[in-house]
Amino acid sequence: MQINSTPTTPSNENIDLRQAVKYIDALPAIPIIAQKLLALDIDTDESEREMLMLVEQDPQISAKIIGLSNSTTLGSTRKTTSVKEAAILLGLNRVKSIATGIAIMSLSTKVSTGKFKTQDLWLHSFGIAFAMLGIARAMPAKIRPKDDQVFLAGMLHDIGYLALAFLDPKRSDDLHVRLAMESDRPALQIEQEMLEICHDELGAELAHHWNLPDEIITVLRYHHTPNVVEAAAGKPIVHMISLAEKLLASFGMNECVDANISDEDWEVLGIDPSKAEEIGVQVAEQAEQAASVY
């Protein structure tokens, strides 16, 4: 699939990012396999077979699905060697979600991203997704979102950095140099100084362009500001990402966040703050497992 990384906006040394995202051709197209997976309703034997066939046809997705199914973080008790076995163990909806996230993230291999290290985005995204699964298990069942929703949101939450690399490679380079040099400063502060539109809003625009669910768009847009009124449609996942990033500040990439965690950060997810230390240790271990799966 050919992806045109050159915006069709007017040629300009300093692209206005807020205007550029309004031009459809300036944004990357969602991979075809992700389109097909998102369109599938896993409610018939035929749709189940179609999903498994789609996954099996992509070696990268198949390998990662099988690897994830063998992870103790996802509850593996035995080794699987095929996508079908992985689907039995993980559940079809979770496999669909994981495969969709991996398919979308594969866009990072199709663009020259300069100083932005796409492998760091992969590692960070996997780490946050795994951490969120750990947080979910500590939440009361009545407010706990489904694992497939959690994993897809975790995988895509920072996709705005990829959008920036497509729209303006030079400023993407400049930003990531600055993030590395000032790694003790919150990433959004630096982005607000350098860009018209930060990675959270860029990610939401890209998700909207791809017709992703409104909940996912909201989560991408407000994962750094989960308490604003506009974030309501993304709860509780938006709070889960915010907490996971605080627990794993700068994990996998130079995206420093305010790591101060209040009792409210736990309580909003129905978690007793007295369990914070225990959960923090588990989350860190799960992120390391993500590194091995990646």
Side-chain angles (χ1 to χ4, degrees):
M1 173 180 176
Q2 295 294 317
I3 294 179
N4 179 12
S5 61
T6 303
T8 57
T9 50
S11 177
N12 192 320
E13 184 177 348
N14 294 309
I15 295 170
D16 184 329
L17 293 172
R18 193 169 292 280
Q19 290 296 318
V21 295
K22 296 179 181 179
Y23 290 79
I24 292 178
D25 290 342
L27 293 173
I30 189 170
I32 292 175
I33 187 172
Q35 292 179 39
K36 291 180 177 179
L37 286 166
L38 285 168
L40 276 178
D41 288 324
I42 311 300
D43 55 2
T44 66
D45 290 345
E46 182 180 353
S47 61
E48 290 176 10
R49 286 193 295 270
E50 185 176 354
M51 187 200 72
L52 292 176
M53 183 177 66
L54 283 170
V55 172
E56 288 169 345
Q57 288 175 345
D58 189 298
Q60 181 187 45
I61 295 177
S62 296
K64 283 190 164 59
I65 291 288
I66 293 170
L68 287 169
S69 72
N70 288 323
S71 164
T72 56
T73 298
L74 292 181
S76 176
T77 56
R78 61 185 176 83
K79 289 291 183 182
T80 61
T81 58
S82 70
V83 172
K84 186 174 182 179
E85 289 179 345
I88 292 172
L89 179 65
L90 297 175
L92 290 164
N93 283 316
R94 190 189 287 181
V95 167
K96 175 187 172 183
S97 176
I98 294 170
T100 302
I102 294 172
I104 291 174
M105 288 293 290
S106 70
L107 280 172
S108 63
T109 66
K110 302 184 188 308
V111 61
S112 176
T113 50
K115 299 295 183 181
F116 169 41
K117 304 302 181 185
T118 55
Q119 63 268 31
D120 293 346
L121 177 64
W122 269 95
L123 181 57
H124 175 74
S125 300
F126 263 100
I128 294 299
F130 270 62
M132 290 170 66
L133 292 176
I135 292 169
R137 291 193 177 93
M139 294 169 60
K142 63 182 179 181
I143 64 169
R144 184 188 306 151
K146 295 180 180 179
D147 280 359
D148 55 311
Q149 297 172 319
V150 170
F151 201 92
L152 182 60
M155 282 288 294
L156 300 184
H157 76 282
D158 273 346
I159 200 76
Y161 286 119
L162 188 61
L164 175 62
F166 270 87
L167 293 171
D168 194 334
K170 181 182 183 302
R171 258 195 294 183
S172 175
D173 276 357
D174 292 344
L175 172 63
H176 288 285
V177 168
R178 182 95 169 267
L179 291 175
M181 290 176 59
E182 302 181 34
S183 58
D184 58 340
R185 289 186 62 202
L188 280 189
Q189 285 186 9
I190 297 173
E191 292 175 37
Q192 286 163 359
E193 292 174 3
M194 298 182 66
L195 309 172
E196 297 91 14
I197 179 172
C198 298
H199 79 274
D200 49 1
E201 193 173 350
L202 278 171
E205 290 288 349
L206 184 55
H208 179 73
H209 169 59
W210 287 340
N211 294 316
L212 295 186
D214 289 342
E215 179 187 39
I216 294 293
I217 295 172
T218 300
V219 167
L220 268 58
R221 176 64 183 88
Y222 299 108
H223 67 278
H224 286 297
T225 53
N227 294 315
V228 300
V229 173
E230 294 83 354
K235 294 179 180 179
I237 294 177
V238 68
H239 283 286
M240 295 169 70
I241 290 184
S242 176
L243 178 57
E245 291 215 301
K246 290 180 178 182
L247 290 168
L248 298 175
S250 297
F251 179 83
M253 63 183 291
N254 292 309
E255 191 205 3
C256 178
V257 299
D258 181 356
N260 292 317
I261 301 176
S262 67
D263 286 354
E264 185 182 354
D265 289 325
W266 297 101
E267 291 167 349
V268 73
L269 297 174
I271 301 173
D272 185 343
S274 67
K275 298 180 180 179
E277 184 174 353
E278 175 187 352
I279 296 172
V281 171
Q282 293 172 355
V283 162
E285 291 175 349
Q286 289 163 348
E288 290 303 322
Q289 285 195 21
S292 65
V293 171
Y294 164 78

Short mmCIF file of all heavy atoms in Angstrom, two decimals, residues 133-147 236 240 265-273 275 279:
data_model
loop_
_atom_site.label_atom_id
_atom_site.label_comp_id
_atom_site.label_asym_id
_atom_site.label_seq_id
_atom_site.Cartn_x
_atom_site.Cartn_y
_atom_site.Cartn_z
N LEU A 133 -3.79 -2.69 31.33
CA LEU A 133 -4.43 -3.96 31.66
C LEU A 133 -4.25 -4.28 33.14
O LEU A 133 -5.15 -4.80 33.80
CB LEU A 133 -3.85 -5.09 30.79
CG LEU A 133 -4.17 -5.03 29.30
CD1 LEU A 133 -3.45 -6.14 28.56
CD2 LEU A 133 -5.67 -5.12 29.05
N GLY A 134 -3.06 -3.97 33.67
CA GLY A 134 -2.81 -4.17 35.08
C GLY A 134 -3.68 -3.28 35.95
O GLY A 134 -4.21 -3.72 36.98
N ILE A 135 -3.83 -2.03 35.55
CA ILE A 135 -4.70 -1.10 36.27
C ILE A 135 -6.14 -1.59 36.22
O ILE A 135 -6.87 -1.54 37.22
CB ILE A 135 -4.57 0.32 35.68
CG1 ILE A 135 -3.17 0.89 35.97
CG2 ILE A 135 -5.64 1.24 36.24
CD1 ILE A 135 -2.86 2.16 35.21
N ALA A 136 -6.57 -2.08 35.06
CA ALA A 136 -7.95 -2.55 34.89
C ALA A 136 -8.28 -3.67 35.88
O ALA A 136 -9.38 -3.72 36.43
CB ALA A 136 -8.17 -3.02 33.46
N ARG A 137 -7.32 -4.56 36.10
CA ARG A 137 -7.58 -5.69 37.00
C ARG A 137 -7.78 -5.24 38.44
O ARG A 137 -8.38 -5.97 39.23
CB ARG A 137 -6.44 -6.70 36.90
CG ARG A 137 -6.38 -7.42 35.56
CD ARG A 137 -5.47 -8.63 35.58
NE ARG A 137 -5.51 -9.30 34.30
CZ ARG A 137 -4.66 -9.07 33.30
NH1 ARG A 137 -3.70 -8.20 33.46
NH2 ARG A 137 -4.77 -9.72 32.17
N ALA A 138 -7.27 -4.06 38.78
CA ALA A 138 -7.44 -3.55 40.14
C ALA A 138 -8.74 -2.77 40.31
O ALA A 138 -9.11 -2.41 41.42
CB ALA A 138 -6.25 -2.66 40.51
N MET A 139 -9.44 -2.51 39.21
CA MET A 139 -10.67 -1.73 39.24
C MET A 139 -11.88 -2.61 39.56
O MET A 139 -11.88 -3.80 39.24
CB MET A 139 -10.89 -1.04 37.88
CG MET A 139 -9.84 0.01 37.55
SD MET A 139 -9.94 0.57 35.81
CE MET A 139 -11.63 1.24 35.74
N PRO A 140 -12.91 -2.05 40.17
CA PRO A 140 -14.14 -2.81 40.39
C PRO A 140 -14.73 -3.28 39.06
O PRO A 140 -14.69 -2.55 38.06
CB PRO A 140 -15.07 -1.79 41.07
CG PRO A 140 -14.16 -0.76 41.64
CD PRO A 140 -13.00 -0.68 40.71
N ALA A 141 -15.26 -4.50 39.05
CA ALA A 141 -15.76 -5.08 37.81
C ALA A 141 -16.83 -4.22 37.15
O ALA A 141 -16.92 -4.15 35.92
CB ALA A 141 -16.31 -6.48 38.08
N LYS A 142 -17.64 -3.53 37.95
CA LYS A 142 -18.77 -2.79 37.39
C LYS A 142 -18.34 -1.57 36.57
O LYS A 142 -19.12 -1.08 35.74
CB LYS A 142 -19.71 -2.34 38.51
CG LYS A 142 -19.10 -1.39 39.51
CD LYS A 142 -20.11 -1.05 40.60
CE LYS A 142 -19.50 -0.09 41.64
NZ LYS A 142 -20.47 0.22 42.71
N ILE A 143 -17.12 -1.07 36.76
CA ILE A 143 -16.66 0.08 35.97
C ILE A 143 -15.46 -0.26 35.11
O ILE A 143 -14.91 0.60 34.43
CB ILE A 143 -16.31 1.29 36.87
CG1 ILE A 143 -15.13 0.97 37.79
CG2 ILE A 143 -17.52 1.75 37.65
CD1 ILE A 143 -14.58 2.20 38.50
N ARG A 144 -15.06 -1.52 35.12
CA ARG A 144 -13.87 -1.93 34.37
C ARG A 144 -14.21 -2.06 32.89
O ARG A 144 -15.12 -2.81 32.52
CB ARG A 144 -13.37 -3.26 34.91
CG ARG A 144 -12.06 -3.76 34.28
CD ARG A 144 -11.79 -5.18 34.76
NE ARG A 144 -11.79 -5.26 36.21
CZ ARG A 144 -12.13 -6.35 36.89
NH1 ARG A 144 -12.52 -7.44 36.24
NH2 ARG A 144 -12.09 -6.34 38.22
N PRO A 145 -13.48 -1.35 32.01
CA PRO A 145 -13.75 -1.50 30.57
C PRO A 145 -13.21 -2.83 30.06
O PRO A 145 -12.40 -3.49 30.72
CB PRO A 145 -12.99 -0.32 29.95
CG PRO A 145 -11.92 0.01 30.94
CD PRO A 145 -12.44 -0.35 32.29
N LYS A 146 -13.65 -3.19 28.89
CA LYS A 146 -13.19 -4.45 28.29
C LYS A 146 -11.73 -4.34 27.90
O LYS A 146 -11.26 -3.29 27.47
CB LYS A 146 -14.04 -4.80 27.07
CG LYS A 146 -15.50 -5.10 27.40
CD LYS A 146 -16.28 -5.42 26.14
CE LYS A 146 -17.74 -5.71 26.46
NZ LYS A 146 -18.53 -6.00 25.24
N ASP A 147 -11.02 -5.47 28.01
CA ASP A 147 -9.59 -5.48 27.69
C ASP A 147 -9.31 -5.04 26.26
O ASP A 147 -8.29 -4.39 25.99
CB ASP A 147 -9.00 -6.88 27.90
CG ASP A 147 -8.70 -7.18 29.36
OD1 ASP A 147 -8.92 -6.29 30.20
OD2 ASP A 147 -8.24 -8.31 29.65
N PRO A 236 -13.79 5.38 31.60
CA PRO A 236 -12.64 5.64 32.48
C PRO A 236 -11.29 5.48 31.79
O PRO A 236 -10.25 5.68 32.40
CB PRO A 236 -12.81 4.56 33.56
CG PRO A 236 -13.36 3.40 32.79
CD PRO A 236 -14.31 4.00 31.76
N MET A 240 -7.28 6.03 32.88
CA MET A 240 -6.34 4.90 32.96
C MET A 240 -5.04 5.21 32.23
O MET A 240 -3.95 4.90 32.71
CB MET A 240 -7.00 3.65 32.39
CG MET A 240 -8.20 3.17 33.19
SD MET A 240 -9.15 1.89 32.32
CE MET A 240 -8.00 0.52 32.40
N ASP A 265 -6.35 10.28 41.63
CA ASP A 265 -6.02 9.54 40.41
C ASP A 265 -6.40 8.07 40.54
O ASP A 265 -6.78 7.43 39.55
CB ASP A 265 -4.53 9.66 40.10
CG ASP A 265 -4.13 11.05 39.64
OD1 ASP A 265 -4.93 11.69 38.94
OD2 ASP A 265 -3.02 11.51 39.98
N TRP A 266 -6.28 7.53 41.75
CA TRP A 266 -6.66 6.14 42.00
C TRP A 266 -8.16 6.02 42.25
O TRP A 266 -8.83 5.12 41.71
CB TRP A 266 -5.90 5.59 43.21
CG TRP A 266 -4.42 5.55 43.03
CD1 TRP A 266 -3.49 6.43 43.52
CD2 TRP A 266 -3.66 4.57 42.29
NE1 TRP A 266 -2.22 6.07 43.13
CE2 TRP A 266 -2.30 4.92 42.39
CE3 TRP A 266 -4.01 3.43 41.57
CZ2 TRP A 266 -1.29 4.18 41.79
CZ3 TRP A 266 -3.01 2.67 40.96
CH2 TRP A 266 -1.67 3.05 41.08
N GLU A 267 -8.69 6.92 43.06
CA GLU A 267 -10.09 6.83 43.48
C GLU A 267 -11.05 6.97 42.32
O GLU A 267 -12.13 6.37 42.31
CB GLU A 267 -10.37 7.88 44.55
CG GLU A 267 -9.66 7.59 45.87
CD GLU A 267 -9.67 8.76 46.83
OE1 GLU A 267 -10.04 9.89 46.39
OE2 GLU A 267 -9.30 8.57 48.00
N VAL A 268 -10.69 7.80 41.31
CA VAL A 268 -11.58 7.98 40.16
C VAL A 268 -11.76 6.67 39.40
O VAL A 268 -12.74 6.49 38.67
CB VAL A 268 -11.04 9.10 39.23
CG1 VAL A 268 -9.83 8.62 38.44
CG2 VAL A 268 -12.13 9.58 38.27
N LEU A 269 -10.82 5.73 39.58
CA LEU A 269 -10.91 4.41 38.94
C LEU A 269 -11.41 3.35 39.92
O LEU A 269 -11.38 2.15 39.61
CB LEU A 269 -9.53 4.01 38.40
CG LEU A 269 -8.97 4.92 37.31
CD1 LEU A 269 -7.54 4.52 36.96
CD2 LEU A 269 -9.85 4.88 36.07
N GLY A 270 -11.87 3.80 41.09
CA GLY A 270 -12.40 2.86 42.07
C GLY A 270 -11.34 2.04 42.77
O GLY A 270 -11.62 0.97 43.32
N ILE A 271 -10.09 2.53 42.78
CA ILE A 271 -8.97 1.80 43.38
C ILE A 271 -8.58 2.45 44.70
O ILE A 271 -8.45 3.68 44.79
CB ILE A 271 -7.76 1.78 42.43
CG1 ILE A 271 -8.14 1.10 41.10
CG2 ILE A 271 -6.58 1.05 43.07
CD1 ILE A 271 -7.06 1.18 40.04
N ASP A 272 -8.38 1.64 45.72
CA ASP A 272 -7.95 2.13 47.03
C ASP A 272 -6.51 2.64 46.93
O ASP A 272 -5.61 1.88 46.55
CB ASP A 272 -8.03 0.98 48.04
CG ASP A 272 -7.72 1.42 49.47
OD1 ASP A 272 -7.14 2.50 49.65
OD2 ASP A 272 -8.03 0.65 50.40
N PRO A 273 -6.25 3.92 47.24
CA PRO A 273 -4.89 4.46 47.14
C PRO A 273 -3.86 3.70 47.98
O PRO A 273 -2.66 3.75 47.67
CB PRO A 273 -5.05 5.90 47.65
CG PRO A 273 -6.48 6.23 47.40
CD PRO A 273 -7.23 4.95 47.62
N LYS A 275 -3.30 0.72 47.86
CA LYS A 275 -2.74 -0.33 47.01
C LYS A 275 -1.82 0.23 45.94
O LYS A 275 -1.34 -0.52 45.08
CB LYS A 275 -3.88 -1.11 46.34
CG LYS A 275 -4.80 -1.83 47.34
CD LYS A 275 -5.89 -2.58 46.60
CE LYS A 275 -6.81 -3.30 47.58
NZ LYS A 275 -7.92 -4.02 46.87
N ILE A 279 0.39 -1.92 43.10
CA ILE A 279 -0.01 -1.85 41.69
C ILE A 279 1.10 -1.24 40.85
O ILE A 279 1.36 -1.68 39.72
CB ILE A 279 -1.31 -1.04 41.54
CG1 ILE A 279 -2.46 -1.75 42.25
CG2 ILE A 279 -1.66 -0.83 40.06
CD1 ILE A 279 -3.74 -0.93 42.33
#
